[in-house]
Amino acid sequence: MQLPRRAALAVVLVVLLVAASAVAQVAATEADDPALAALVAEHPVWGPALAYRAPATDAAERALVAATDEARRRELGLSASLSFAPSIAWRGSPGAAPSGPAWRSDVVAAVGYRFDAERVAHGHVDLHRAAVARTERAHRDLRAAITLHVDLQRAHLALAAAEHAAAGRATTLADAEAVEVGRDPGAAPSATLAAAQLANERAVADVERAARDVAAAARAARAAGFDPAGAEAIHRDRWAPLPLEGWRLWLPDVAPDQTPAVVRAELDAAVAAAALARLRVGGVLDDLALDVAYVRPEARLRASFDLDEGRPGAAIDATLRPAARTSWSVAVGATVRIDDRTAAALASARADADAAQATLAATRAEAPWALEAARRAALDAEADVGFAERALDLGRAALQEAVERHRAAGADAETDAARDRADAALARAAVGFDRERDAFYRAWNAYALAVERYLVAAGSPGGVLAPP
């Protein structure tokens, strides 16, 4: 359980599902509750965030499809071809007229089979790599989209803080200028006035820079599908819960031996074992072949069976080609080759296989600890979000209390000084609440990153959990 109230949370949408195996594939699971699915789709953050796809994600998806097709093709080991080779020739001799054109066309249809265990294992490695890359891209897209929302909200908070500071600097400058009233106009300003002028100019520049940051963040968020006007409304409404309050990210349990790191180590061990097996057979017996051919005047049919460097194969081809006479042939051949590198290559392959097995054992032993560390980091980050939410509740209550005191002080105040003190107290409460909002957004950024790291380490689906 991630939180005491987790039982009240419902899984509303699964972002992706990538099976952590050699034949991994991508699939999506729809929410069981249409009302919750609609809530997510219309949510100002989760709607755009779950729909966001970076261009690199599309490329990763295409690479996964290509790797899946290639792995399947290698497993089948089949190949086929059809070729057509037309030609025309003239023949003659010196002093004699050339013969008429001789037309010839060869049509060859061939079907072959080759089982290459090492090539199949490499295909599984490529497929696993593509599946992991697709998983990482999907998780990264979700975190990137959340970050765009957070960055925009924090930019608004930074602008509000800069404007508040600028207002204070302007008041200080006005007070300093009031002190200077009556001085000789030609005299140099006092050090106090000069310092107030400098601080005011810096504050104005900070406001301008913060406004540019808001515009840049709004442009990036708009490109990802977020509504900048809605984000500004969220920022200005201090009483409504923030869109991310109460929401959590799903941390599914995953068996340590199914994590991408373990699966990749298993695939690497399979590659090394296949390479060793090929060298044990094909390192000495380089080639063993049986070839059968039957020739007719109009066509030739050929079948072959061979063992090429330890890889069994078979082929059948038919050729439409004129022949002088009917004939047949059967040929059996073999090549036994031993050179000065045979023993060294076999020893190297055996060492690679042993090293791959040792790596696999170490990865399996480390997997539970690594997975638990990533999960614990995500849960700690989630706890920090919970702390930040509680601080938000306290800050919102403090702001409400400050508003009520301000109203009471405004009704009872008899002097400008009393009203100024009430205004300052309310401003401090508003600034304090904005700081809590900023801390909440920073906690969510860290939380999204920690969850992404866990899901990538686990090779598992990701999703969002709705508040009660």
Side-chain angles (χ1 to χ4, degrees):
M1 305 296 284
Q2 299 176 41
L3 286 175
R5 60 176 177 174
R6 179 59 73 236
L9 301 181
V11 177
V12 295
L13 185 66
V14 171
V15 181
L16 59 97
L17 175 61
V18 178
S21 66
V23 289
Q25 31 183 311
V26 177
T29 303
E30 295 181 354
D32 294 331
D33 190 335
L36 286 177
L39 172 66
V40 171
E42 297 173 359
H43 193 272
V45 177
W46 296 120
L50 293 173
Y52 175 69
R53 288 167 62 92
T57 304
D58 294 331
E61 224 164 54
R62 292 193 298 272
L64 177 57
V65 172
T68 302
D69 293 341
E70 177 62 17
R72 186 180 298 113
R73 191 176 69 84
R74 292 185 182 190
E75 287 176 347
L76 292 175
L78 297 176
S79 62
S81 65
L82 177 64
S83 64
F84 173 57
S87 65
I88 186 170
W90 290 263
R91 293 182 175 84
S93 59
S99 63
W103 168 264
R104 176 174 172 171
S105 63
D106 294 348
V107 179
V108 181
V111 177
Y113 169 78
R114 173 78 62 193
F115 177 73
D116 188 340
E118 185 178 2
R119 192 163 181 264
V120 169
H122 277 294
H124 288 168
V125 170
D126 294 340
L127 175 56
H128 179 261
R129 184 185 298 113
V132 169
R134 172 63 180 84
T135 304
E136 292 178 351
R137 282 302 328 171
H139 291 314
R140 192 173 305 166
D141 283 349
L142 180 60
R143 179 177 62 84
I146 294 173
T147 300
L148 288 173
H149 165 75
V150 168
D151 287 348
L152 180 54
Q153 292 299 327
R154 294 192 67 199
H156 278 297
L157 290 170
L159 176 58
E163 290 173 341
H164 176 74
R169 295 291 182 264
T171 300
T172 302
L173 177 59
D175 293 341
E177 289 175 340
V179 174
E180 296 290 312
V181 173
R183 289 172 58 94
D184 182 5
S190 66
T192 300
L193 178 59
Q197 289 173 337
L198 176 59
N200 183 70
E201 291 174 7
R202 283 176 171 171
V204 171
D206 288 343
V207 171
E208 293 175 352
R209 294 167 184 172
R212 290 198 297 269
D213 290 342
V214 169
R219 183 168 56 253
R222 184 185 296 107
F226 290 92
D227 177 18
E232 184 175 0
I234 291 170
H235 164 71
R236 295 189 180 282
D237 187 357
R238 287 186 170 92
W239 306 117
L242 299 178
L244 290 177
E245 282 190 69
W247 290 82
R248 295 293 184 269
L249 298 173
W250 184 31
L251 299 178
D253 293 322
V254 175
D257 60 351
Q258 295 299 314
T259 59
V262 173
V263 173
R264 176 58 190 269
E266 291 173 345
L267 294 175
D268 288 341
V271 169
L276 176 60
R278 182 179 63 81
L279 277 177
R280 281 174 172 167
V281 177
V284 175
L285 183 59
D286 188 66
D287 185 35
L288 175 64
L290 168 64
D291 189 277
V292 179
Y294 180 67
V295 180
R296 299 274 301 174
E298 69 281 356
R300 185 190 73 169
L301 182 64
R302 176 177 173 269
S304 64
F305 308 90
D306 68 337
L307 186 66
D308 179 20
E309 294 184 347
R311 302 170 301 171
I316 299 176
D317 63 77
T319 304
L320 297 180
R321 174 189 299 171
R325 59 188 177 83
T326 300
S327 63
W328 60 269
S329 66
V330 177
V332 180
T335 301
V336 178
R337 178 176 56 83
I338 300 177
D339 57 32
D340 58 342
R341 298 190 59 187
T342 300
L346 189 59
S348 177
R350 187 179 295 110
D352 289 343
D354 292 342
Q357 286 296 329
T359 300
L360 174 58
T363 304
R364 281 175 172 163
E366 180 65 20
W369 302 96
L371 193 61
E372 177 59 25
R375 184 179 182 85
R376 177 49 53 192
L379 291 174
D380 288 344
E382 183 178 286
D384 289 339
V385 170
F387 294 145
E389 287 178 343
R390 290 168 61 186
L392 276 178
D393 291 338
L394 294 175
R396 200 173 278 121
L399 180 59
Q400 178 64 42
E401 187 175 320
V403 169
E404 293 172 357
R405 289 178 178 175
H406 181 272
R407 289 172 179 168
D412 299 338
E414 297 179 355
T415 64
D416 292 341
R419 282 191 293 272
D420 290 343
R421 286 193 298 271
D423 290 342
L426 179 59
R428 284 194 301 270
V431 170
F433 179 63
D434 281 352
R435 287 174 181 165
E436 297 299 345
R437 288 202 289 179
D438 189 68
F440 171 75
Y441 288 129
R442 285 188 282 109
W444 248 101
N445 254 352
Y447 176 43
L449 178 59
V451 170
E452 177 193 2
R453 287 173 175 170
Y454 170 75
L455 294 176
V456 168
S460 64
V464 298
L465 300 172

PDB file of all heavy atoms in Angstrom, residues 66-95:
ATOM      1  N   ALA A  66       9.597  -2.879 -36.253  1.00  0.00           N
ATOM      2  CA  ALA A  66      10.614  -3.463 -37.132  1.00  0.00           C
ATOM      3  C   ALA A  66      11.375  -4.579 -36.433  1.00  0.00           C
ATOM      4  O   ALA A  66      11.647  -5.635 -37.026  1.00  0.00           O
ATOM      5  CB  ALA A  66      11.584  -2.370 -37.593  1.00  0.00           C
ATOM      6  N   ALA A  67      11.722  -4.392 -35.166  1.00  0.00           N
ATOM      7  CA  ALA A  67      12.444  -5.426 -34.424  1.00  0.00           C
ATOM      8  C   ALA A  67      11.578  -6.663 -34.226  1.00  0.00           C
ATOM      9  O   ALA A  67      12.080  -7.796 -34.276  1.00  0.00           O
ATOM     10  CB  ALA A  67      12.907  -4.874 -33.072  1.00  0.00           C
ATOM     11  N   THR A  68      10.277  -6.461 -34.000  1.00  0.00           N
ATOM     12  CA  THR A  68       9.360  -7.599 -33.859  1.00  0.00           C
ATOM     13  C   THR A  68       9.299  -8.415 -35.148  1.00  0.00           C
ATOM     14  O   THR A  68       9.369  -9.644 -35.133  1.00  0.00           O
ATOM     15  CB  THR A  68       7.961  -7.107 -33.478  1.00  0.00           C
ATOM     16  OG1 THR A  68       8.031  -6.353 -32.266  1.00  0.00           O
ATOM     17  CG2 THR A  68       7.006  -8.263 -33.284  1.00  0.00           C
ATOM     18  N   ASP A  69       9.167  -7.733 -36.270  1.00  0.00           N
ATOM     19  CA  ASP A  69       9.117  -8.429 -37.566  1.00  0.00           C
ATOM     20  C   ASP A  69      10.425  -9.165 -37.850  1.00  0.00           C
ATOM     21  O   ASP A  69      10.414 -10.309 -38.329  1.00  0.00           O
ATOM     22  CB  ASP A  69       8.820  -7.430 -38.685  1.00  0.00           C
ATOM     23  CG  ASP A  69       7.428  -6.841 -38.574  1.00  0.00           C
ATOM     24  OD1 ASP A  69       6.580  -7.446 -37.884  1.00  0.00           O
ATOM     25  OD2 ASP A  69       7.187  -5.766 -39.165  1.00  0.00           O
ATOM     26  N   GLU A  70      11.547  -8.511 -37.538  1.00  0.00           N
ATOM     27  CA  GLU A  70      12.838  -9.127 -37.814  1.00  0.00           C
ATOM     28  C   GLU A  70      13.061 -10.353 -36.925  1.00  0.00           C
ATOM     29  O   GLU A  70      13.576 -11.377 -37.388  1.00  0.00           O
ATOM     30  CB  GLU A  70      13.954  -8.109 -37.595  1.00  0.00           C
ATOM     31  CG  GLU A  70      15.363  -8.646 -37.784  1.00  0.00           C
ATOM     32  CD  GLU A  70      15.647  -9.142 -39.194  1.00  0.00           C
ATOM     33  OE1 GLU A  70      14.881  -8.790 -40.120  1.00  0.00           O
ATOM     34  OE2 GLU A  70      16.629  -9.890 -39.370  1.00  0.00           O
ATOM     35  N   ALA A  71      12.684 -10.253 -35.659  1.00  0.00           N
ATOM     36  CA  ALA A  71      12.837 -11.401 -34.762  1.00  0.00           C
ATOM     37  C   ALA A  71      11.977 -12.576 -35.227  1.00  0.00           C
ATOM     38  O   ALA A  71      12.411 -13.734 -35.197  1.00  0.00           O
ATOM     39  CB  ALA A  71      12.462 -11.000 -33.333  1.00  0.00           C
ATOM     40  N   ARG A  72      10.762 -12.284 -35.678  1.00  0.00           N
ATOM     41  CA  ARG A  72       9.885 -13.355 -36.174  1.00  0.00           C
ATOM     42  C   ARG A  72      10.479 -13.992 -37.430  1.00  0.00           C
ATOM     43  O   ARG A  72      10.440 -15.214 -37.607  1.00  0.00           O
ATOM     44  CB  ARG A  72       8.498 -12.786 -36.453  1.00  0.00           C
ATOM     45  CG  ARG A  72       7.474 -13.848 -36.833  1.00  0.00           C
ATOM     46  CD  ARG A  72       6.116 -13.241 -37.089  1.00  0.00           C
ATOM     47  NE  ARG A  72       5.586 -12.587 -35.893  1.00  0.00           N
ATOM     48  CZ  ARG A  72       5.412 -11.277 -35.779  1.00  0.00           C
ATOM     49  NH1 ARG A  72       5.720 -10.481 -36.786  1.00  0.00           N
ATOM     50  NH2 ARG A  72       4.927 -10.765 -34.667  1.00  0.00           N
ATOM     51  N   ARG A  73      11.047 -13.154 -38.295  1.00  0.00           N
ATOM     52  CA  ARG A  73      11.633 -13.683 -39.527  1.00  0.00           C
ATOM     53  C   ARG A  73      12.835 -14.577 -39.222  1.00  0.00           C
ATOM     54  O   ARG A  73      13.031 -15.622 -39.849  1.00  0.00           O
ATOM     55  CB  ARG A  73      12.060 -12.521 -40.420  1.00  0.00           C
ATOM     56  CG  ARG A  73      12.435 -12.919 -41.836  1.00  0.00           C
ATOM     57  CD  ARG A  73      12.749 -11.696 -42.674  1.00  0.00           C
ATOM     58  NE  ARG A  73      13.983 -11.060 -42.235  1.00  0.00           N
ATOM     59  CZ  ARG A  73      15.191 -11.443 -42.621  1.00  0.00           C
ATOM     60  NH1 ARG A  73      15.328 -12.477 -43.444  1.00  0.00           N
ATOM     61  NH2 ARG A  73      16.256 -10.823 -42.205  1.00  0.00           N
ATOM     62  N   ARG A  74      13.621 -14.170 -38.240  1.00  0.00           N
ATOM     63  CA  ARG A  74      14.775 -14.993 -37.883  1.00  0.00           C
ATOM     64  C   ARG A  74      14.351 -16.308 -37.243  1.00  0.00           C
ATOM     65  O   ARG A  74      15.004 -17.336 -37.445  1.00  0.00           O
ATOM     66  CB  ARG A  74      15.692 -14.225 -36.926  1.00  0.00           C
ATOM     67  CG  ARG A  74      16.373 -13.032 -37.579  1.00  0.00           C
ATOM     68  CD  ARG A  74      17.368 -12.377 -36.634  1.00  0.00           C
ATOM     69  NE  ARG A  74      17.992 -11.211 -37.235  1.00  0.00           N
ATOM     70  CZ  ARG A  74      19.025 -10.548 -36.720  1.00  0.00           C
ATOM     71  NH1 ARG A  74      19.542 -10.954 -35.562  1.00  0.00           N
ATOM     72  NH2 ARG A  74      19.530  -9.501 -37.333  1.00  0.00           N
ATOM     73  N   GLU A  75      13.294 -16.278 -36.462  1.00  0.00           N
ATOM     74  CA  GLU A  75      12.813 -17.518 -35.849  1.00  0.00           C
ATOM     75  C   GLU A  75      12.300 -18.494 -36.909  1.00  0.00           C
ATOM     76  O   GLU A  75      12.539 -19.698 -36.820  1.00  0.00           O
ATOM     77  CB  GLU A  75      11.707 -17.202 -34.848  1.00  0.00           C
ATOM     78  CG  GLU A  75      12.206 -16.561 -33.557  1.00  0.00           C
ATOM     79  CD  GLU A  75      11.062 -16.180 -32.632  1.00  0.00           C
ATOM     80  OE1 GLU A  75       9.911 -16.185 -33.097  1.00  0.00           O
ATOM     81  OE2 GLU A  75      11.331 -15.886 -31.459  1.00  0.00           O
ATOM     82  N   LEU A  76      11.582 -17.978 -37.893  1.00  0.00           N
ATOM     83  CA  LEU A  76      11.077 -18.849 -38.955  1.00  0.00           C
ATOM     84  C   LEU A  76      12.216 -19.382 -39.808  1.00  0.00           C
ATOM     85  O   LEU A  76      12.193 -20.536 -40.247  1.00  0.00           O
ATOM     86  CB  LEU A  76      10.077 -18.086 -39.827  1.00  0.00           C
ATOM     87  CG  LEU A  76       8.761 -17.701 -39.164  1.00  0.00           C
ATOM     88  CD1 LEU A  76       7.921 -16.848 -40.111  1.00  0.00           C
ATOM     89  CD2 LEU A  76       7.985 -18.938 -38.740  1.00  0.00           C
ATOM     90  N   GLY A  77      13.224 -18.580 -40.084  1.00  0.00           N
ATOM     91  CA  GLY A  77      14.367 -19.001 -40.875  1.00  0.00           C
ATOM     92  C   GLY A  77      14.076 -19.197 -42.340  1.00  0.00           C
ATOM     93  O   GLY A  77      14.872 -19.814 -43.061  1.00  0.00           O
ATOM     94  N   LEU A  78      12.935 -18.712 -42.801  1.00  0.00           N
ATOM     95  CA  LEU A  78      12.532 -18.922 -44.194  1.00  0.00           C
ATOM     96  C   LEU A  78      12.961 -17.752 -45.074  1.00  0.00           C
ATOM     97  O   LEU A  78      13.032 -16.615 -44.623  1.00  0.00           O
ATOM     98  CB  LEU A  78      11.016 -19.103 -44.289  1.00  0.00           C
ATOM     99  CG  LEU A  78      10.427 -20.319 -43.582  1.00  0.00           C
ATOM    100  CD1 LEU A  78       8.904 -20.302 -43.681  1.00  0.00           C
ATOM    101  CD2 LEU A  78      10.978 -21.614 -44.187  1.00  0.00           C
ATOM    102  N   SER A  79      13.212 -18.062 -46.319  1.00  0.00           N
ATOM    103  CA  SER A  79      13.502 -17.034 -47.316  1.00  0.00           C
ATOM    104  C   SER A  79      12.921 -17.479 -48.650  1.00  0.00           C
ATOM    105  O   SER A  79      12.771 -18.680 -48.906  1.00  0.00           O
ATOM    106  CB  SER A  79      15.016 -16.805 -47.450  1.00  0.00           C
ATOM    107  OG  SER A  79      15.666 -17.987 -47.888  1.00  0.00           O
ATOM    108  N   ALA A  80      12.586 -16.529 -49.483  1.00  0.00           N
ATOM    109  CA  ALA A  80      12.015 -16.834 -50.798  1.00  0.00           C
ATOM    110  C   ALA A  80      12.419 -15.745 -51.773  1.00  0.00           C
ATOM    111  O   ALA A  80      12.615 -14.587 -51.385  1.00  0.00           O
ATOM    112  CB  ALA A  80      10.494 -16.945 -50.716  1.00  0.00           C
ATOM    113  N   SER A  81      12.564 -16.138 -53.023  1.00  0.00           N
ATOM    114  CA  SER A  81      12.928 -15.156 -54.050  1.00  0.00           C
ATOM    115  C   SER A  81      12.398 -15.604 -55.399  1.00  0.00           C
ATOM    116  O   SER A  81      12.179 -16.801 -55.641  1.00  0.00           O
ATOM    117  CB  SER A  81      14.448 -14.971 -54.116  1.00  0.00           C
ATOM    118  OG  SER A  81      15.077 -16.170 -54.549  1.00  0.00           O
ATOM    119  N   LEU A  82      12.183 -14.631 -56.250  1.00  0.00           N
ATOM    120  CA  LEU A  82      11.755 -14.878 -57.633  1.00  0.00           C
ATOM    121  C   LEU A  82      12.501 -13.900 -58.518  1.00  0.00           C
ATOM    122  O   LEU A  82      12.449 -12.684 -58.284  1.00  0.00           O
ATOM    123  CB  LEU A  82      10.243 -14.678 -57.777  1.00  0.00           C
ATOM    124  CG  LEU A  82       9.675 -14.846 -59.189  1.00  0.00           C
ATOM    125  CD1 LEU A  82       9.860 -16.280 -59.668  1.00  0.00           C
ATOM    126  CD2 LEU A  82       8.201 -14.462 -59.216  1.00  0.00           C
ATOM    127  N   SER A  83      13.218 -14.420 -59.494  1.00  0.00           N
ATOM    128  CA  SER A  83      14.008 -13.544 -60.370  1.00  0.00           C
ATOM    129  C   SER A  83      13.732 -13.862 -61.825  1.00  0.00           C
ATOM    130  O   SER A  83      13.424 -15.005 -62.189  1.00  0.00           O
ATOM    131  CB  SER A  83      15.504 -13.697 -60.073  1.00  0.00           C
ATOM    132  OG  SER A  83      15.933 -15.012 -60.364  1.00  0.00           O
ATOM    133  N   PHE A  84      13.855 -12.837 -62.649  1.00  0.00           N
ATOM    134  CA  PHE A  84      13.637 -12.955 -64.098  1.00  0.00           C
ATOM    135  C   PHE A  84      14.819 -12.272 -64.777  1.00  0.00           C
ATOM    136  O   PHE A  84      15.082 -11.084 -64.545  1.00  0.00           O
ATOM    137  CB  PHE A  84      12.315 -12.299 -64.482  1.00  0.00           C
ATOM    138  CG  PHE A  84      12.086 -12.230 -65.958  1.00  0.00           C
ATOM    139  CD1 PHE A  84      12.094 -13.386 -66.741  1.00  0.00           C
ATOM    140  CD2 PHE A  84      11.866 -11.009 -66.577  1.00  0.00           C
ATOM    141  CE1 PHE A  84      11.871 -13.320 -68.106  1.00  0.00           C
ATOM    142  CE2 PHE A  84      11.647 -10.940 -67.948  1.00  0.00           C
ATOM    143  CZ  PHE A  84      11.648 -12.102 -68.713  1.00  0.00           C
ATOM    144  N   ALA A  85      15.573 -13.030 -65.606  1.00  0.00           N
ATOM    145  CA  ALA A  85      16.782 -12.503 -66.242  1.00  0.00           C
ATOM    146  C   ALA A  85      16.691 -12.709 -67.757  1.00  0.00           C
ATOM    147  O   ALA A  85      17.088 -13.758 -68.284  1.00  0.00           O
ATOM    148  CB  ALA A  85      18.021 -13.189 -65.682  1.00  0.00           C
ATOM    149  N   PRO A  86      16.153 -11.728 -68.484  1.00  0.00           N
ATOM    150  CA  PRO A  86      16.102 -11.862 -69.949  1.00  0.00           C
ATOM    151  C   PRO A  86      17.422 -11.417 -70.594  1.00  0.00           C
ATOM    152  O   PRO A  86      18.139 -10.574 -70.049  1.00  0.00           O
ATOM    153  CB  PRO A  86      14.960 -10.913 -70.328  1.00  0.00           C
ATOM    154  CG  PRO A  86      14.991  -9.861 -69.268  1.00  0.00           C
ATOM    155  CD  PRO A  86      15.465 -10.530 -68.005  1.00  0.00           C
ATOM    156  N   SER A  87      17.726 -11.974 -71.767  1.00  0.00           N
ATOM    157  CA  SER A  87      18.923 -11.573 -72.519  1.00  0.00           C
ATOM    158  C   SER A  87      18.701 -11.847 -74.000  1.00  0.00           C
ATOM    159  O   SER A  87      17.898 -12.701 -74.384  1.00  0.00           O
ATOM    160  CB  SER A  87      20.163 -12.331 -72.016  1.00  0.00           C
ATOM    161  OG  SER A  87      20.035 -13.718 -72.276  1.00  0.00           O
ATOM    162  N   ILE A  88      19.442 -11.121 -74.839  1.00  0.00           N
ATOM    163  CA  ILE A  88      19.390 -11.311 -76.291  1.00  0.00           C
ATOM    164  C   ILE A  88      20.815 -11.248 -76.819  1.00  0.00           C
ATOM    165  O   ILE A  88      21.617 -10.423 -76.369  1.00  0.00           O
ATOM    166  CB  ILE A  88      18.485 -10.247 -76.957  1.00  0.00           C
ATOM    167  CG1 ILE A  88      18.326 -10.537 -78.438  1.00  0.00           C
ATOM    168  CG2 ILE A  88      18.986  -8.829 -76.694  1.00  0.00           C
ATOM    169  CD1 ILE A  88      17.265  -9.676 -79.099  1.00  0.00           C
ATOM    170  N   ALA A  89      21.172 -12.127 -77.746  1.00  0.00           N
ATOM    171  CA  ALA A  89      22.556 -12.209 -78.216  1.00  0.00           C
ATOM    172  C   ALA A  89      22.584 -12.448 -79.725  1.00  0.00           C
ATOM    173  O   ALA A  89      21.681 -13.065 -80.297  1.00  0.00           O
ATOM    174  CB  ALA A  89      23.283 -13.326 -77.474  1.00  0.00           C
ATOM    175  N   TRP A  90      23.659 -11.916 -80.321  1.00  0.00           N
ATOM    176  CA  TRP A  90      23.951 -12.167 -81.739  1.00  0.00           C
ATOM    177  C   TRP A  90      25.315 -12.841 -81.809  1.00  0.00           C
ATOM    178  O   TRP A  90      26.265 -12.440 -81.111  1.00  0.00           O
ATOM    179  CB  TRP A  90      23.990 -10.870 -82.523  1.00  0.00           C
ATOM    180  CG  TRP A  90      22.642 -10.209 -82.691  1.00  0.00           C
ATOM    181  CD1 TRP A  90      21.804 -10.300 -83.759  1.00  0.00           C
ATOM    182  CD2 TRP A  90      22.017  -9.328 -81.754  1.00  0.00           C
ATOM    183  NE1 TRP A  90      20.683  -9.571 -83.562  1.00  0.00           N
ATOM    184  CE2 TRP A  90      20.767  -8.939 -82.326  1.00  0.00           C
ATOM    185  CE3 TRP A  90      22.341  -8.847 -80.502  1.00  0.00           C
ATOM    186  CZ2 TRP A  90      19.888  -8.103 -81.697  1.00  0.00           C
ATOM    187  CZ3 TRP A  90      21.475  -8.010 -79.868  1.00  0.00           C
ATOM    188  CH2 TRP A  90      20.253  -7.633 -80.453  1.00  0.00           C
ATOM    189  N   ARG A  91      25.448 -13.854 -82.664  1.00  0.00           N
ATOM    190  CA  ARG A  91      26.717 -14.561 -82.826  1.00  0.00           C
ATOM    191  C   ARG A  91      27.123 -14.560 -84.287  1.00  0.00           C
ATOM    192  O   ARG A  91      26.283 -14.594 -85.179  1.00  0.00           O
ATOM    193  CB  ARG A  91      26.595 -15.993 -82.304  1.00  0.00           C
ATOM    194  CG  ARG A  91      26.405 -16.097 -80.804  1.00  0.00           C
ATOM    195  CD  ARG A  91      26.343 -17.559 -80.371  1.00  0.00           C
ATOM    196  NE  ARG A  91      26.279 -17.676 -78.915  1.00  0.00           N
ATOM    197  CZ  ARG A  91      25.160 -17.595 -78.202  1.00  0.00           C
ATOM    198  NH1 ARG A  91      23.992 -17.406 -78.831  1.00  0.00           N
ATOM    199  NH2 ARG A  91      25.198 -17.702 -76.882  1.00  0.00           N
ATOM    200  N   GLY A  92      28.403 -14.556 -84.507  1.00  0.00           N
ATOM    201  CA  GLY A  92      28.919 -14.583 -85.871  1.00  0.00           C
ATOM    202  C   GLY A  92      30.406 -14.854 -85.864  1.00  0.00           C
ATOM    203  O   GLY A  92      31.039 -14.994 -84.815  1.00  0.00           O
ATOM    204  N   SER A  93      31.000 -14.881 -87.048  1.00  0.00           N
ATOM    205  CA  SER A  93      32.443 -15.080 -87.199  1.00  0.00           C
ATOM    206  C   SER A  93      32.941 -14.142 -88.280  1.00  0.00           C
ATOM    207  O   SER A  93      32.151 -13.632 -89.097  1.00  0.00           O
ATOM    208  CB  SER A  93      32.740 -16.543 -87.567  1.00  0.00           C
ATOM    209  OG  SER A  93      32.087 -16.892 -88.784  1.00  0.00           O
ATOM    210  N   PRO A  94      34.288 -13.895 -88.340  1.00  0.00           N
ATOM    211  CA  PRO A  94      34.808 -12.972 -89.366  1.00  0.00           C
ATOM    212  C   PRO A  94      34.462 -13.453 -90.769  1.00  0.00           C
ATOM    213  O   PRO A  94      34.607 -14.630 -91.109  1.00  0.00           O
ATOM    214  CB  PRO A  94      36.331 -13.007 -89.118  1.00  0.00           C
ATOM    215  CG  PRO A  94      36.466 -13.414 -87.683  1.00  0.00           C
ATOM    216  CD  PRO A  94      35.333 -14.353 -87.433  1.00  0.00           C
ATOM    217  N   GLY A  95      33.967 -12.553 -91.587  1.00  0.00           N
ATOM    218  CA  GLY A  95      33.609 -12.854 -92.959  1.00  0.00           C
ATOM    219  C   GLY A  95      32.240 -13.453 -93.134  1.00  0.00           C
ATOM    220  O   GLY A  95      31.844 -13.758 -94.272  1.00  0.00           O
TER     221      GLY A  95
END
